[in-house]
Amino acid sequence: MAILFKNVTAVLMDGSHTVLPNAFVAVEGTGITSVGTSRPSGDFTREIDGRGGILMPGLINCHTHVPMTAMRGYGDGHDLQDWLNNFIFPVEARWDDRAIRACADLGLMEMIASGTTCIADMYMHTQTVAQAVADAGLSANLSCGGVFFGEDFSPAACPDCRSQEELFQTWHNHDGGRIRVDASLHAEYTSKPGLWEWTADFAKSRGLGMHVHISETRREHEECKSRWGASPIRTLAKYGVFDVRAIAAHCVWTEPEDWAVMAEKGITAVHNPVSNLKLGSGVAPVPDLMKAGVNVALGTDGVSSNNTTDLFEDMKLAAILQNGVRHDPMALTAWDALEMATANGARALGRNTGTIAAGKDADLVLLDPAAPNLVPCHDAANNIAYAAHGSNVILNMCRGRVIYENGTFLTIDAEKTRREVEDYAVPMLFRKGQ
């Protein structure tokens, strides 16, 4: 289809922070073909009148655990280690594919409705998650977070090695690259050097990216230093884990020596402000990371520790949190937060998106021009970063395909999903007495 957006305020997310009022954005197939203030020539299958509303690049959520919608609000009030070991891990041991699919669909619905067009997801039952993403129409970098607690590592003794290989063979570059597979370690503290080396080789030999939890809590960071004499970033770097395009989720307790390694190797720090505050993990040193030359993107983490996947919420908090902590209203600007959620995320995941320009993938989000919280609009970037909510999204287009419009999901059966979550997944996962 050839689709023309007209009468939109286009926030291009280019290096010049261009905002085009009364703009036209043309889409053909999966890509953007023209952007400007004059109507392009040619015929269009559909014309969408934005009525002056903001058209922006789709949001890129660089750290998710999509099926964890089942644990929304479960185990609240505990630090990370207590929360994981005594609440989350026991429930996760009960997953089956039917429950994973229902809860993944629910998570994807929430993200689609709030403007996300691309995710980096790390979880289990990855074949089922991949099928849910494929059906939903989003783009995704998918991974299975490798875990190994044994003493004698071998790929045959680690089910996550087989899961990663199978995920790669089945889904990598599906639908013209809409779904890609990355290698992944869950974290330093949930694995051993044998798995680190295997995962590093797996990524390098197949040209994949890497996804790892890094220095989320002080305890994680300091215990790694006690075990190995270096921080998680520096420890894993010695084993080649970051010799590929890589994203490091959280980075709350990273240090200047870590930032130097990250900048040198091109490791993206994925900031998860809501999750980090909710679990009491701390505040990531985002301005310091940026000053050191580290690319910083944005993630929501799992619903279990957020408790939503509305990236607009994390965008706002990312900016105002640093300003408050550092007593500086310019510590992180609206444009900084926007870049983290769009262009920086695209860079982190190796995606041809994150900006509105000819030749880019047509990942676009239209905001409601009549929403009371967006009126008036003195500054489009400020309105997006500080005033907008996910509920303001009235259209979500991924790779040229409209997947959500005016409250209607066009790729997911919303009623079936709700029934499956409420009638099957939740009762099965949280059955009493077990």
Side-chain angles (χ1 to χ4, degrees), residues 88-157:
I88 300 304
F89 289 161
V91 172
E92 287 182 327
R94 300 173 185 161
W95 278 122
D96 64 14
D97 284 340
R98 180 179 172 185
I100 283 278
R101 178 59 194 257
C103 294
D105 281 344
L106 181 65
L108 295 170
M109 283 170 57
E110 185 179 356
M111 285 191 277
I112 289 169
S114 56
T116 292
T117 55
C118 184
I119 64 173
D121 192 70
M122 175 204 293
Y123 208 56
M124 57 188 76
H125 290 257
T126 45
Q127 295 284 340
T128 303
V129 173
Q131 188 63 63
V133 172
D135 294 342
L138 288 85
S139 297
N141 287 37
L142 301 179
S143 65
C144 170
V147 172
F148 185 76
F149 293 103
E151 292 302 321
D152 298 319
F153 171 81
S154 71

Side-chain angles (χ1 to χ4, degrees), residues 28-373:
E28 187 168 353
T30 62
I32 298 170
T33 55
S34 73
V35 180
T37 54
S38 299
R39 181 185 175 92
S41 60
D43 297 324
F44 295 91
T45 311
R46 182 181 178 195
E47 297 188 11
I48 299 172
D49 187 348
R51 296 178 290 125
I54 290 172
L55 184 73
M56 61 180 290
L59 302 180
I60 301 174
N61 191 338
C62 280
H63 184 60
T64 69
H65 310 293
V66 173
M68 293 184 82
T69 48
M71 294 85 156
R72 193 192 311 269
Y74 178 69
D76 283 358
H78 299 269
D79 66 24
L80 177 68
Q81 299 301 327
D82 185 15
W83 175 76
L84 283 174
N85 291 310
N86 296 314
F87 294 89
I88 300 304
F89 289 161
V91 172
E92 287 182 327
R94 300 173 185 161
W95 278 122
D96 64 14
D97 284 340
R98 180 179 172 185
I100 283 278
R101 178 59 194 257
C103 294
D105 281 344
L106 181 65
L108 295 170
M109 283 170 57
E110 185 179 356
M111 285 191 277
I112 289 169
S114 56
T116 292
T117 55
C118 184
I119 64 173
D121 192 70
M122 175 204 293
Y123 208 56
M124 57 188 76
H125 290 257
T126 45
Q127 295 284 340
T128 303
V129 173
Q131 188 63 63
V133 172
D135 294 342
L138 288 85
S139 297
N141 287 37
L142 301 179
S143 65
C144 170
V147 172
F148 185 76
F149 293 103
E151 292 302 321
D152 298 319
F153 171 81
S154 71
C158 181
D160 289 337
C161 292
R162 295 193 296 276
S163 294
Q164 294 198 57
E165 289 175 328
E166 291 168 359
L167 184 67
F168 171 79
Q169 291 165 4
T170 308
W171 288 102
H172 188 54
N173 283 329
H174 172 80
D175 193 17
R178 179 165 65 84
I179 294 178
R180 298 177 185 172
V181 172
D182 283 341
S184 179
L185 291 167
H186 176 267
E188 173 274 329
Y189 65 92
T190 54
S191 54
K192 297 290 181 66
L195 181 58
W196 305 345
E197 292 176 325
W198 182 91
T199 307
D201 180 69
F202 177 74
K204 283 184 282 190
S205 64
R206 292 160 177 79
L208 309 181
M210 183 71 67
H211 191 165
V212 189
H213 291 104
I214 289 290
S215 298
E216 183 173 359
T217 66
R218 185 199 295 267
R219 175 181 169 183
E220 170 198 342
H221 189 77
E222 295 301 328
E223 287 183 352
C224 178
K225 291 168 71 173
S226 296
R227 277 190 293 271
W228 307 105
S231 68
I233 278 283
R234 284 173 282 158
T235 297
L236 295 179
K238 292 177 183 177
Y239 288 83
V241 170
F242 300 119
D243 291 347
V244 295
R245 175 186 52 77
I247 55 176
H250 303 296
C251 298
V252 175
W253 292 95
T254 52
E255 303 166 295
E257 294 86 351
D258 300 323
W259 311 335
V261 172
M262 296 173 75
E264 176 189 352
K265 291 185 172 292
I267 305 166
T268 293
V270 182
H271 184 33
N272 299 263
V274 174
S275 175
N276 295 156
L277 288 183
K278 184 170 182 285
L279 290 173
S281 301
V283 178
V286 172
D288 299 322
L289 285 156
M290 293 168 63
K291 187 176 181 180
V294 177
N295 184 52
V296 182
L298 201 60
T300 58
D301 207 358
V303 161
S304 51
S305 62
N306 187 298
N307 290 10
T308 78
T309 54
D310 183 349
L311 205 61
F312 284 96
E313 179 183 52
D314 283 83
M315 200 186 321
K316 178 176 182 176
L317 183 58
I320 63 175
L321 176 61
Q322 300 296 332
N323 297 351
V325 167
R326 294 168 185 258
H327 312 290
D328 177 4
M330 296 299 290
L332 208 68
T333 67
W335 282 109
D336 289 332
L338 271 172
E339 287 169 350
M340 289 164 62
T342 56
N344 292 6
R347 187 176 305 116
L349 303 186
R351 293 280 178 174
N352 183 39
T353 187
T355 61
I356 301 179
K360 292 289 186 177
D361 289 344
D363 296 341
L364 301 168
V365 168
L366 182 63
L367 304 186
D368 184 0
N373 59 303

